[in-house]
Amino acid sequence: MCLWIVLDCSIMLMCRRWLVCSLKGQYRSLSFSASRRSVMPAWVIDKYGKNEVLRFTKNAALPIIHYPNEVIVKVHAAGLNPIDISMRGGYGAATMAMKRDPLNMNQSGSEFPLILGRDVSGEIMECGLDVNYFKPGDQVWAAIPPWKQGSLAEFVVLSANEVSHKPKSLRHVEAASIPYVAATAWSVIVNTGGLNKDNGSKKRVLILGGSGGVGTLAIQMVKAWGAHVTVTCSQNAERLVRDLGADDVVDYTAGPVEKQLQTLQKFDLILDNIGGETEKWALDLLKPWNGAKYVTLVTPFLHNTDRLGLADGMMQSGVTIGCKVLKHLRKGVHYRWGFFAPSGPTLDEISEMVDAGKVRPVVEKVFSFAQVPQVFQKVEQGHARGKTVVSVIDDQKE
């Protein structure tokens, strides 16, 4: 979840009424199928909980274009991420409800039936009136914001600025493994960490937890920009991360990882996918007074809003990060929180890197659409080696 969830709320509050009024009468269902049906197959949840809340239905509502900048995508493949497991249990529900309904006009629980799945690769079926960059038939991919209905369905509706043309070199089941982790890694490394293709050469980057979805993508990104990459993972993931470009690999099962890392040169950027105790020692590995940054993806932001409510939770989060920033700034290093940020232009950049052979998908396992409960169980077990993907349409039909 990205920080602009909070920052753009005031704008949404002012614009919502104008949008509803000005677009009245422009709501459109899928013209290609409206005459035949108004429902679709999907995996949904009707309440928050464990895996038993997942339900398959053939009667999920077909998506509708509400605004002229939206597109409807036929899902060929979907990717699952740890955030889907958390959302199934209600994580972030307060913040997501605010994003879906900033004026608080709907009743509690109006998000149900909720469709999960943050990655999609598929085909444009219909475009809103203001969409010029895409046309029906275009092969696309996207990272779906967590406040929107997800990709574990036949169709999904998205804003055009969240969508990008799929890499030509990838099949849909491969492409669906990339968007969410790519958007997250780009947000953390480029937007927050300040590292990019123009300044990345010879920078020293440490990725804590490098064998999962975000880690495997981040390794390839920064390596393509000329950085020296150090990764922590277990011994059985070493070959994978080295194949992706890691220069140094530290096995966290071989002893205290902080002691092993202290024998290496200090770093310009640390990406933390682990959280917890790592904050107590990781910032000491940064180059002091050199603009070095520690960015963690494990933040208490949504936990605070779930526990304390939106206003108090945001205040608590502000106090927490403010104190940590000041504490570490006195030591000459920068402490930051990182968040997912949906972005079609970001995926355009990643698509070019994929087709140039600089980034490749890391797919651990592909499941069929009928096996979605097993997919959740697989992702929930952790210790991922890349991504888990759901094939909604068989490759032979693509």
PDB file of all heavy atoms in Angstrom, residues 1 45 47-49 53 81-93 96 100 111-112 114-118 144-150 180 302 376:
ATOM      1  N   MET A   1       0.850  -1.181   0.000  1.00  0.00           N
ATOM      2  CA  MET A   1       0.000   0.000   0.000  1.00  0.00           C
ATOM      3  C   MET A   1       0.878   1.220   0.000  1.00  0.00           C
ATOM      4  O   MET A   1       1.908   1.256   0.605  1.00  0.00           O
ATOM      5  CB  MET A   1      -0.867   0.004   1.254  1.00  0.00           C
ATOM      6  CG  MET A   1      -2.119  -0.813   1.102  1.00  0.00           C
ATOM      7  SD  MET A   1      -1.785  -2.485   0.567  1.00  0.00           S
ATOM      8  CE  MET A   1      -0.806  -3.054   1.887  1.00  0.00           C
ATOM      9  N   ILE A  45     -14.541 -13.544  -1.477  1.00  0.00           N
ATOM     10  CA  ILE A  45     -14.763 -13.764  -0.047  1.00  0.00           C
ATOM     11  C   ILE A  45     -15.947 -12.891   0.376  1.00  0.00           C
ATOM     12  O   ILE A  45     -16.136 -11.791  -0.137  1.00  0.00           O
ATOM     13  CB  ILE A  45     -13.523 -13.444   0.812  1.00  0.00           C
ATOM     14  CG1 ILE A  45     -13.114 -11.968   0.697  1.00  0.00           C
ATOM     15  CG2 ILE A  45     -12.351 -14.340   0.418  1.00  0.00           C
ATOM     16  CD1 ILE A  45     -12.014 -11.563   1.675  1.00  0.00           C
ATOM     17  N   LYS A  47     -16.577 -12.518   3.777  1.00  0.00           N
ATOM     18  CA  LYS A  47     -16.167 -12.017   5.084  1.00  0.00           C
ATOM     19  C   LYS A  47     -14.677 -12.266   5.209  1.00  0.00           C
ATOM     20  O   LYS A  47     -14.079 -13.003   4.416  1.00  0.00           O
ATOM     21  CB  LYS A  47     -16.927 -12.720   6.216  1.00  0.00           C
ATOM     22  CG  LYS A  47     -16.692 -14.221   6.267  1.00  0.00           C
ATOM     23  CD  LYS A  47     -17.487 -14.867   7.395  1.00  0.00           C
ATOM     24  CE  LYS A  47     -17.232 -16.386   7.423  1.00  0.00           C
ATOM     25  NZ  LYS A  47     -17.975 -17.035   8.530  1.00  0.00           N
ATOM     26  N   TYR A  48     -14.053 -11.644   6.188  1.00  0.00           N
ATOM     27  CA  TYR A  48     -12.626 -11.836   6.405  1.00  0.00           C
ATOM     28  C   TYR A  48     -12.393 -13.075   7.255  1.00  0.00           C
ATOM     29  O   TYR A  48     -13.189 -13.413   8.142  1.00  0.00           O
ATOM     30  CB  TYR A  48     -12.024 -10.610   7.084  1.00  0.00           C
ATOM     31  CG  TYR A  48     -12.121  -9.358   6.240  1.00  0.00           C
ATOM     32  CD1 TYR A  48     -12.828  -8.242   6.682  1.00  0.00           C
ATOM     33  CD2 TYR A  48     -11.519  -9.299   4.992  1.00  0.00           C
ATOM     34  CE1 TYR A  48     -12.922  -7.097   5.913  1.00  0.00           C
ATOM     35  CE2 TYR A  48     -11.603  -8.155   4.208  1.00  0.00           C
ATOM     36  CZ  TYR A  48     -12.308  -7.058   4.671  1.00  0.00           C
ATOM     37  OH  TYR A  48     -12.395  -5.935   3.895  1.00  0.00           O
ATOM     38  N   GLY A  49     -11.289 -13.757   6.969  1.00  0.00           N
ATOM     39  CA  GLY A  49     -10.986 -14.961   7.740  1.00  0.00           C
ATOM     40  C   GLY A  49      -9.862 -15.753   7.105  1.00  0.00           C
ATOM     41  O   GLY A  49      -9.022 -15.212   6.387  1.00  0.00           O
ATOM     42  N   VAL A  53     -12.899 -19.006   3.864  1.00  0.00           N
ATOM     43  CA  VAL A  53     -13.815 -17.952   3.405  1.00  0.00           C
ATOM     44  C   VAL A  53     -13.799 -17.811   1.879  1.00  0.00           C
ATOM     45  O   VAL A  53     -14.673 -17.145   1.312  1.00  0.00           O
ATOM     46  CB  VAL A  53     -13.482 -16.589   4.053  1.00  0.00           C
ATOM     47  CG1 VAL A  53     -13.575 -16.686   5.568  1.00  0.00           C
ATOM     48  CG2 VAL A  53     -12.114 -16.087   3.623  1.00  0.00           C
ATOM     49  N   ASN A  81       0.135 -12.472  -4.092  1.00  0.00           N
ATOM     50  CA  ASN A  81       1.190 -11.873  -3.287  1.00  0.00           C
ATOM     51  C   ASN A  81       0.835 -12.011  -1.808  1.00  0.00           C
ATOM     52  O   ASN A  81      -0.335 -12.222  -1.461  1.00  0.00           O
ATOM     53  CB  ASN A  81       1.345 -10.395  -3.640  1.00  0.00           C
ATOM     54  CG  ASN A  81       1.770 -10.179  -5.077  1.00  0.00           C
ATOM     55  OD1 ASN A  81       2.938 -10.178  -5.407  1.00  0.00           O
ATOM     56  ND2 ASN A  81       0.785  -9.992  -5.960  1.00  0.00           N
ATOM     57  N   PRO A  82       1.808 -11.864  -0.917  1.00  0.00           N
ATOM     58  CA  PRO A  82       1.502 -11.949   0.516  1.00  0.00           C
ATOM     59  C   PRO A  82       0.407 -10.975   0.961  1.00  0.00           C
ATOM     60  O   PRO A  82      -0.334 -11.272   1.890  1.00  0.00           O
ATOM     61  CB  PRO A  82       2.855 -11.620   1.167  1.00  0.00           C
ATOM     62  CG  PRO A  82       3.863 -12.106   0.189  1.00  0.00           C
ATOM     63  CD  PRO A  82       3.275 -11.809  -1.162  1.00  0.00           C
ATOM     64  N   ILE A  83       0.281  -9.820   0.291  1.00  0.00           N
ATOM     65  CA  ILE A  83      -0.757  -8.872   0.660  1.00  0.00           C
ATOM     66  C   ILE A  83      -2.146  -9.482   0.484  1.00  0.00           C
ATOM     67  O   ILE A  83      -3.085  -9.147   1.224  1.00  0.00           O
ATOM     68  CB  ILE A  83      -0.619  -7.567  -0.159  1.00  0.00           C
ATOM     69  CG1 ILE A  83      -1.633  -6.518   0.302  1.00  0.00           C
ATOM     70  CG2 ILE A  83      -0.797  -7.834  -1.640  1.00  0.00           C
ATOM     71  CD1 ILE A  83      -1.456  -6.057   1.716  1.00  0.00           C
ATOM     72  N   ASP A  84      -2.308 -10.398  -0.475  1.00  0.00           N
ATOM     73  CA  ASP A  84      -3.604 -11.056  -0.660  1.00  0.00           C
ATOM     74  C   ASP A  84      -3.946 -11.927   0.542  1.00  0.00           C
ATOM     75  O   ASP A  84      -5.114 -12.005   0.946  1.00  0.00           O
ATOM     76  CB  ASP A  84      -3.596 -11.897  -1.930  1.00  0.00           C
ATOM     77  CG  ASP A  84      -3.520 -11.048  -3.188  1.00  0.00           C
ATOM     78  OD1 ASP A  84      -4.443 -10.247  -3.406  1.00  0.00           O
ATOM     79  OD2 ASP A  84      -2.537 -11.187  -3.937  1.00  0.00           O
ATOM     80  N   ILE A  85      -2.955 -12.584   1.104  1.00  0.00           N
ATOM     81  CA  ILE A  85      -3.184 -13.401   2.298  1.00  0.00           C
ATOM     82  C   ILE A  85      -3.611 -12.499   3.456  1.00  0.00           C
ATOM     83  O   ILE A  85      -4.552 -12.804   4.189  1.00  0.00           O
ATOM     84  CB  ILE A  85      -1.905 -14.179   2.675  1.00  0.00           C
ATOM     85  CG1 ILE A  85      -1.359 -14.953   1.470  1.00  0.00           C
ATOM     86  CG2 ILE A  85      -2.186 -15.102   3.853  1.00  0.00           C
ATOM     87  CD1 ILE A  85      -2.320 -15.928   0.860  1.00  0.00           C
ATOM     88  N   SER A  86      -2.921 -11.378   3.601  1.00  0.00           N
ATOM     89  CA  SER A  86      -3.250 -10.447   4.684  1.00  0.00           C
ATOM     90  C   SER A  86      -4.638  -9.847   4.494  1.00  0.00           C
ATOM     91  O   SER A  86      -5.424  -9.736   5.447  1.00  0.00           O
ATOM     92  CB  SER A  86      -2.201  -9.333   4.749  1.00  0.00           C
ATOM     93  OG  SER A  86      -0.917  -9.859   4.992  1.00  0.00           O
ATOM     94  N   MET A  87      -4.976  -9.459   3.263  1.00  0.00           N
ATOM     95  CA  MET A  87      -6.277  -8.860   3.002  1.00  0.00           C
ATOM     96  C   MET A  87      -7.411  -9.857   3.215  1.00  0.00           C
ATOM     97  O   MET A  87      -8.503  -9.480   3.640  1.00  0.00           O
ATOM     98  CB  MET A  87      -6.324  -8.312   1.575  1.00  0.00           C
ATOM     99  CG  MET A  87      -5.508  -7.050   1.373  1.00  0.00           C
ATOM    100  SD  MET A  87      -5.634  -6.431  -0.318  1.00  0.00           S
ATOM    101  CE  MET A  87      -7.392  -6.031  -0.408  1.00  0.00           C
ATOM    102  N   ARG A  88      -7.166 -11.116   2.918  1.00  0.00           N
ATOM    103  CA  ARG A  88      -8.174 -12.151   3.188  1.00  0.00           C
ATOM    104  C   ARG A  88      -8.566 -12.159   4.669  1.00  0.00           C
ATOM    105  O   ARG A  88      -9.722 -12.406   5.020  1.00  0.00           O
ATOM    106  CB  ARG A  88      -7.617 -13.521   2.789  1.00  0.00           C
ATOM    107  CG  ARG A  88      -8.592 -14.680   2.903  1.00  0.00           C
ATOM    108  CD  ARG A  88      -7.837 -15.995   2.884  1.00  0.00           C
ATOM    109  NE  ARG A  88      -6.954 -16.120   4.050  1.00  0.00           N
ATOM    110  CZ  ARG A  88      -6.010 -17.028   4.194  1.00  0.00           C
ATOM    111  NH1 ARG A  88      -5.781 -17.916   3.235  1.00  0.00           N
ATOM    112  NH2 ARG A  88      -5.265 -17.070   5.289  1.00  0.00           N
ATOM    113  N   GLY A  89      -7.598 -11.839   5.527  1.00  0.00           N
ATOM    114  CA  GLY A  89      -7.863 -11.804   6.962  1.00  0.00           C
ATOM    115  C   GLY A  89      -8.329 -10.456   7.479  1.00  0.00           C
ATOM    116  O   GLY A  89      -8.524 -10.294   8.681  1.00  0.00           O
ATOM    117  N   GLY A  90      -8.475  -9.459   6.592  1.00  0.00           N
ATOM    118  CA  GLY A  90      -8.975  -8.154   7.012  1.00  0.00           C
ATOM    119  C   GLY A  90      -7.924  -7.092   7.214  1.00  0.00           C
ATOM    120  O   GLY A  90      -8.232  -5.969   7.617  1.00  0.00           O
ATOM    121  N   TYR A  91      -6.665  -7.414   6.920  1.00  0.00           N
ATOM    122  CA  TYR A  91      -5.583  -6.446   7.087  1.00  0.00           C
ATOM    123  C   TYR A  91      -5.809  -5.229   6.194  1.00  0.00           C
ATOM    124  O   TYR A  91      -6.088  -5.355   5.006  1.00  0.00           O
ATOM    125  CB  TYR A  91      -4.256  -7.110   6.739  1.00  0.00           C
ATOM    126  CG  TYR A  91      -3.047  -6.206   6.763  1.00  0.00           C
ATOM    127  CD1 TYR A  91      -2.528  -5.731   7.964  1.00  0.00           C
ATOM    128  CD2 TYR A  91      -2.408  -5.852   5.585  1.00  0.00           C
ATOM    129  CE1 TYR A  91      -1.402  -4.924   7.981  1.00  0.00           C
ATOM    130  CE2 TYR A  91      -1.280  -5.047   5.589  1.00  0.00           C
ATOM    131  CZ  TYR A  91      -0.786  -4.583   6.791  1.00  0.00           C
ATOM    132  OH  TYR A  91       0.318  -3.775   6.810  1.00  0.00           O
ATOM    133  N   GLY A  92      -5.723  -4.038   6.783  1.00  0.00           N
ATOM    134  CA  GLY A  92      -5.886  -2.808   6.019  1.00  0.00           C
ATOM    135  C   GLY A  92      -7.316  -2.451   5.688  1.00  0.00           C
ATOM    136  O   GLY A  92      -7.554  -1.541   4.885  1.00  0.00           O
ATOM    137  N   ALA A  93      -8.288  -3.121   6.300  1.00  0.00           N
ATOM    138  CA  ALA A  93      -9.689  -2.920   5.923  1.00  0.00           C
ATOM    139  C   ALA A  93     -10.142  -1.476   6.125  1.00  0.00           C
ATOM    140  O   ALA A  93     -10.886  -0.925   5.308  1.00  0.00           O
ATOM    141  CB  ALA A  93     -10.584  -3.870   6.716  1.00  0.00           C
ATOM    142  N   MET A  96      -8.573   0.705   3.316  1.00  0.00           N
ATOM    143  CA  MET A  96      -9.163   0.363   2.025  1.00  0.00           C
ATOM    144  C   MET A  96     -10.598   0.871   1.917  1.00  0.00           C
ATOM    145  O   MET A  96     -11.031   1.343   0.866  1.00  0.00           O
ATOM    146  CB  MET A  96      -9.143  -1.154   1.806  1.00  0.00           C
ATOM    147  CG  MET A  96      -7.761  -1.772   1.746  1.00  0.00           C
ATOM    148  SD  MET A  96      -6.651  -0.997   0.566  1.00  0.00           S
ATOM    149  CE  MET A  96      -5.517  -0.178   1.688  1.00  0.00           C
ATOM    150  N   ARG A 100     -12.106   3.346  -0.963  1.00  0.00           N
ATOM    151  CA  ARG A 100     -13.251   2.992  -1.796  1.00  0.00           C
ATOM    152  C   ARG A 100     -14.401   3.981  -1.638  1.00  0.00           C
ATOM    153  O   ARG A 100     -15.129   4.250  -2.586  1.00  0.00           O
ATOM    154  CB  ARG A 100     -13.747   1.588  -1.423  1.00  0.00           C
ATOM    155  CG  ARG A 100     -12.756   0.459  -1.667  1.00  0.00           C
ATOM    156  CD  ARG A 100     -13.382  -0.884  -1.334  1.00  0.00           C
ATOM    157  NE  ARG A 100     -12.384  -1.960  -1.379  1.00  0.00           N
ATOM    158  CZ  ARG A 100     -11.906  -2.578  -0.312  1.00  0.00           C
ATOM    159  NH1 ARG A 100     -12.339  -2.251   0.894  1.00  0.00           N
ATOM    160  NH2 ARG A 100     -10.997  -3.529  -0.434  1.00  0.00           N
ATOM    161  N   GLU A 111     -17.785  -3.770   0.768  1.00  0.00           N
ATOM    162  CA  GLU A 111     -16.766  -4.266  -0.156  1.00  0.00           C
ATOM    163  C   GLU A 111     -17.018  -5.702  -0.586  1.00  0.00           C
ATOM    164  O   GLU A 111     -16.430  -6.182  -1.565  1.00  0.00           O
ATOM    165  CB  GLU A 111     -15.369  -4.176   0.472  1.00  0.00           C
ATOM    166  CG  GLU A 111     -15.104  -5.123   1.641  1.00  0.00           C
ATOM    167  CD  GLU A 111     -15.430  -4.504   2.989  1.00  0.00           C
ATOM    168  OE1 GLU A 111     -16.361  -3.668   3.048  1.00  0.00           O
ATOM    169  OE2 GLU A 111     -14.766  -4.855   3.972  1.00  0.00           O
ATOM    170  N   PHE A 112     -17.884  -6.421   0.140  1.00  0.00           N
ATOM    171  CA  PHE A 112     -18.154  -7.823  -0.175  1.00  0.00           C
ATOM    172  C   PHE A 112     -19.269  -7.950  -1.220  1.00  0.00           C
ATOM    173  O   PHE A 112     -20.172  -7.121  -1.252  1.00  0.00           O
ATOM    174  CB  PHE A 112     -18.537  -8.580   1.100  1.00  0.00           C
ATOM    175  CG  PHE A 112     -17.474  -8.571   2.158  1.00  0.00           C
ATOM    176  CD1 PHE A 112     -17.727  -7.991   3.391  1.00  0.00           C
ATOM    177  CD2 PHE A 112     -16.228  -9.129   1.922  1.00  0.00           C
ATOM    178  CE1 PHE A 112     -16.756  -7.970   4.373  1.00  0.00           C
ATOM    179  CE2 PHE A 112     -15.252  -9.118   2.907  1.00  0.00           C
ATOM    180  CZ  PHE A 112     -15.527  -8.541   4.134  1.00  0.00           C
ATOM    181  N   LEU A 114     -15.762  -9.674  -2.112  1.00  0.00           N
ATOM    182  CA  LEU A 114     -14.480  -9.078  -2.470  1.00  0.00           C
ATOM    183  C   LEU A 114     -13.648 -10.070  -3.277  1.00  0.00           C
ATOM    184  O   LEU A 114     -13.530 -11.239  -2.913  1.00  0.00           O
ATOM    185  CB  LEU A 114     -13.731  -8.688  -1.199  1.00  0.00           C
ATOM    186  CG  LEU A 114     -12.360  -8.036  -1.355  1.00  0.00           C
ATOM    187  CD1 LEU A 114     -12.478  -6.692  -2.084  1.00  0.00           C
ATOM    188  CD2 LEU A 114     -11.704  -7.833   0.012  1.00  0.00           C
ATOM    189  N   ILE A 115     -13.079  -9.579  -4.379  1.00  0.00           N
ATOM    190  CA  ILE A 115     -12.217 -10.391  -5.230  1.00  0.00           C
ATOM    191  C   ILE A 115     -10.771  -9.994  -4.968  1.00  0.00           C
ATOM    192  O   ILE A 115     -10.420  -8.819  -5.075  1.00  0.00           O
ATOM    193  CB  ILE A 115     -12.554 -10.190  -6.717  1.00  0.00           C
ATOM    194  CG1 ILE A 115     -14.028 -10.558  -6.992  1.00  0.00           C
ATOM    195  CG2 ILE A 115     -11.634 -11.036  -7.600  1.00  0.00           C
ATOM    196  CD1 ILE A 115     -14.495 -10.196  -8.398  1.00  0.00           C
ATOM    197  N   LEU A 116      -9.924 -10.965  -4.631  1.00  0.00           N
ATOM    198  CA  LEU A 116      -8.517 -10.711  -4.356  1.00  0.00           C
ATOM    199  C   LEU A 116      -7.678 -10.968  -5.618  1.00  0.00           C
ATOM    200  O   LEU A 116      -8.196 -11.334  -6.660  1.00  0.00           O
ATOM    201  CB  LEU A 116      -8.054 -11.584  -3.191  1.00  0.00           C
ATOM    202  CG  LEU A 116      -8.800 -11.351  -1.869  1.00  0.00           C
ATOM    203  CD1 LEU A 116      -8.406 -12.406  -0.835  1.00  0.00           C
ATOM    204  CD2 LEU A 116      -8.541  -9.956  -1.337  1.00  0.00           C
ATOM    205  N   GLY A 117      -6.360 -10.752  -5.503  1.00  0.00           N
ATOM    206  CA  GLY A 117      -5.454 -10.901  -6.640  1.00  0.00           C
ATOM    207  C   GLY A 117      -4.964  -9.548  -7.107  1.00  0.00           C
ATOM    208  O   GLY A 117      -5.749  -8.731  -7.592  1.00  0.00           O
ATOM    209  N   ARG A 118      -3.648  -9.290  -6.967  1.00  0.00           N
ATOM    210  CA  ARG A 118      -3.102  -7.963  -7.281  1.00  0.00           C
ATOM    211  C   ARG A 118      -2.399  -7.893  -8.634  1.00  0.00           C
ATOM    212  O   ARG A 118      -2.116  -6.790  -9.114  1.00  0.00           O
ATOM    213  CB  ARG A 118      -2.096  -7.530  -6.197  1.00  0.00           C
ATOM    214  CG  ARG A 118      -2.664  -7.384  -4.793  1.00  0.00           C
ATOM    215  CD  ARG A 118      -3.794  -6.386  -4.762  1.00  0.00           C
ATOM    216  NE  ARG A 118      -5.085  -7.042  -4.592  1.00  0.00           N
ATOM    217  CZ  ARG A 118      -6.239  -6.499  -4.923  1.00  0.00           C
ATOM    218  NH1 ARG A 118      -6.283  -5.328  -5.504  1.00  0.00           N
ATOM    219  NH2 ARG A 118      -7.356  -7.147  -4.726  1.00  0.00           N
ATOM    220  N   ILE A 144      -2.802  -4.211  -9.589  1.00  0.00           N
ATOM    221  CA  ILE A 144      -4.113  -3.706  -9.184  1.00  0.00           C
ATOM    222  C   ILE A 144      -4.040  -3.127  -7.781  1.00  0.00           C
ATOM    223  O   ILE A 144      -3.616  -3.803  -6.842  1.00  0.00           O
ATOM    224  CB  ILE A 144      -5.162  -4.832  -9.225  1.00  0.00           C
ATOM    225  CG1 ILE A 144      -5.189  -5.459 -10.632  1.00  0.00           C
ATOM    226  CG2 ILE A 144      -6.534  -4.315  -8.835  1.00  0.00           C
ATOM    227  CD1 ILE A 144      -6.054  -6.703 -10.719  1.00  0.00           C
ATOM    228  N   PRO A 145      -4.455  -1.875  -7.587  1.00  0.00           N
ATOM    229  CA  PRO A 145      -4.467  -1.296  -6.235  1.00  0.00           C
ATOM    230  C   PRO A 145      -5.320  -2.143  -5.285  1.00  0.00           C
ATOM    231  O   PRO A 145      -6.345  -2.695  -5.695  1.00  0.00           O
ATOM    232  CB  PRO A 145      -5.088   0.092  -6.454  1.00  0.00           C
ATOM    233  CG  PRO A 145      -4.831   0.404  -7.888  1.00  0.00           C
ATOM    234  CD  PRO A 145      -4.905  -0.908  -8.610  1.00  0.00           C
ATOM    235  N   PRO A 146      -4.925  -2.259  -4.045  1.00  0.00           N
ATOM    236  CA  PRO A 146      -5.619  -3.157  -3.119  1.00  0.00           C
ATOM    237  C   PRO A 146      -7.025  -2.721  -2.743  1.00  0.00           C
ATOM    238  O   PRO A 146      -7.768  -3.503  -2.159  1.00  0.00           O
ATOM    239  CB  PRO A 146      -4.706  -3.185  -1.887  1.00  0.00           C
ATOM    240  CG  PRO A 146      -3.885  -1.953  -1.997  1.00  0.00           C
ATOM    241  CD  PRO A 146      -3.720  -1.679  -3.456  1.00  0.00           C
ATOM    242  N   TRP A 147      -7.406  -1.478  -3.054  1.00  0.00           N
ATOM    243  CA  TRP A 147      -8.768  -1.057  -2.748  1.00  0.00           C
ATOM    244  C   TRP A 147      -9.733  -1.376  -3.894  1.00  0.00           C
ATOM    245  O   TRP A 147     -10.917  -1.094  -3.818  1.00  0.00           O
ATOM    246  CB  TRP A 147      -8.813   0.429  -2.425  1.00  0.00           C
ATOM    247  CG  TRP A 147      -8.176   1.321  -3.452  1.00  0.00           C
ATOM    248  CD1 TRP A 147      -8.773   1.879  -4.535  1.00  0.00           C
ATOM    249  CD2 TRP A 147      -6.816   1.736  -3.484  1.00  0.00           C
ATOM    250  NE1 TRP A 147      -7.869   2.623  -5.250  1.00  0.00           N
ATOM    251  CE2 TRP A 147      -6.659   2.557  -4.621  1.00  0.00           C
ATOM    252  CE3 TRP A 147      -5.710   1.505  -2.645  1.00  0.00           C
ATOM    253  CZ2 TRP A 147      -5.436   3.153  -4.951  1.00  0.00           C
ATOM    254  CZ3 TRP A 147      -4.493   2.091  -2.989  1.00  0.00           C
ATOM    255  CH2 TRP A 147      -4.380   2.900  -4.124  1.00  0.00           C
ATOM    256  N   LYS A 148      -9.209  -1.961  -4.998  1.00  0.00           N
ATOM    257  CA  LYS A 148     -10.057  -2.319  -6.126  1.00  0.00           C
ATOM    258  C   LYS A 148     -10.288  -3.823  -6.175  1.00  0.00           C
ATOM    259  O   LYS A 148      -9.531  -4.603  -5.608  1.00  0.00           O
ATOM    260  CB  LYS A 148      -9.424  -1.850  -7.438  1.00  0.00           C
ATOM    261  CG  LYS A 148      -9.345  -0.341  -7.581  1.00  0.00           C
ATOM    262  CD  LYS A 148      -8.883   0.068  -8.970  1.00  0.00           C
ATOM    263  CE  LYS A 148      -8.926   1.582  -9.123  1.00  0.00           C
ATOM    264  NZ  LYS A 148      -8.546   2.010 -10.498  1.00  0.00           N
ATOM    265  N   GLN A 149     -11.348  -4.229  -6.881  1.00  0.00           N
ATOM    266  CA  GLN A 149     -11.590  -5.647  -7.084  1.00  0.00           C
ATOM    267  C   GLN A 149     -10.424  -6.247  -7.858  1.00  0.00           C
ATOM    268  O   GLN A 149      -9.869  -5.620  -8.767  1.00  0.00           O
ATOM    269  CB  GLN A 149     -12.897  -5.865  -7.852  1.00  0.00           C
ATOM    270  CG  GLN A 149     -14.144  -5.476  -7.064  1.00  0.00           C
ATOM    271  CD  GLN A 149     -14.504  -6.500  -5.993  1.00  0.00           C
ATOM    272  OE1 GLN A 149     -13.627  -7.057  -5.319  1.00  0.00           O
ATOM    273  NE2 GLN A 149     -15.796  -6.749  -5.807  1.00  0.00           N
ATOM    274  N   GLY A 150     -10.059  -7.495  -7.493  1.00  0.00           N
ATOM    275  CA  GLY A 150      -8.828  -8.082  -7.988  1.00  0.00           C
ATOM    276  C   GLY A 150      -8.975  -8.933  -9.232  1.00  0.00           C
ATOM    277  O   GLY A 150     -10.005  -8.924  -9.926  1.00  0.00           O
ATOM    278  N   TYR A 180       2.985  -6.447  -9.639  1.00  0.00           N
ATOM    279  CA  TYR A 180       2.887  -5.938  -8.270  1.00  0.00           C
ATOM    280  C   TYR A 180       4.265  -5.786  -7.630  1.00  0.00           C
ATOM    281  O   TYR A 180       4.569  -4.758  -7.017  1.00  0.00           O
ATOM    282  CB  TYR A 180       2.000  -6.843  -7.414  1.00  0.00           C
ATOM    283  CG  TYR A 180       1.705  -6.273  -6.047  1.00  0.00           C
ATOM    284  CD1 TYR A 180       0.657  -5.390  -5.847  1.00  0.00           C
ATOM    285  CD2 TYR A 180       2.499  -6.603  -4.948  1.00  0.00           C
ATOM    286  CE1 TYR A 180       0.382  -4.850  -4.602  1.00  0.00           C
ATOM    287  CE2 TYR A 180       2.248  -6.068  -3.704  1.00  0.00           C
ATOM    288  CZ  TYR A 180       1.181  -5.194  -3.530  1.00  0.00           C
ATOM    289  OH  TYR A 180       0.942  -4.652  -2.283  1.00  0.00           O
ATOM    290  N   LEU A 302      -0.762   0.284   8.211  1.00  0.00           N
ATOM    291  CA  LEU A 302      -2.109  -0.279   8.124  1.00  0.00           C
ATOM    292  C   LEU A 302      -2.532  -0.952   9.431  1.00  0.00           C
ATOM    293  O   LEU A 302      -3.711  -0.928   9.794  1.00  0.00           O
ATOM    294  CB  LEU A 302      -2.187  -1.261   6.958  1.00  0.00           C
ATOM    295  CG  LEU A 302      -2.090  -0.633   5.565  1.00  0.00           C
ATOM    296  CD1 LEU A 302      -2.195  -1.703   4.484  1.00  0.00           C
ATOM    297  CD2 LEU A 302      -3.171   0.413   5.365  1.00  0.00           C
ATOM    298  N   PHE A 376      -3.505 -19.954  -2.271  1.00  0.00           N
ATOM    299  CA  PHE A 376      -3.426 -19.194  -1.024  1.00  0.00           C
ATOM    300  C   PHE A 376      -2.626 -19.954   0.024  1.00  0.00           C
ATOM    301  O   PHE A 376      -1.818 -19.372   0.752  1.00  0.00           O
ATOM    302  CB  PHE A 376      -4.836 -18.884  -0.503  1.00  0.00           C
ATOM    303  CG  PHE A 376      -5.432 -17.641  -1.089  1.00  0.00           C
ATOM    304  CD1 PHE A 376      -6.038 -17.666  -2.336  1.00  0.00           C
ATOM    305  CD2 PHE A 376      -5.377 -16.429  -0.400  1.00  0.00           C
ATOM    306  CE1 PHE A 376      -6.591 -16.519  -2.888  1.00  0.00           C
ATOM    307  CE2 PHE A 376      -5.925 -15.277  -0.941  1.00  0.00           C
ATOM    308  CZ  PHE A 376      -6.525 -15.325  -2.200  1.00  0.00           C
TER     309      PHE A 376
END
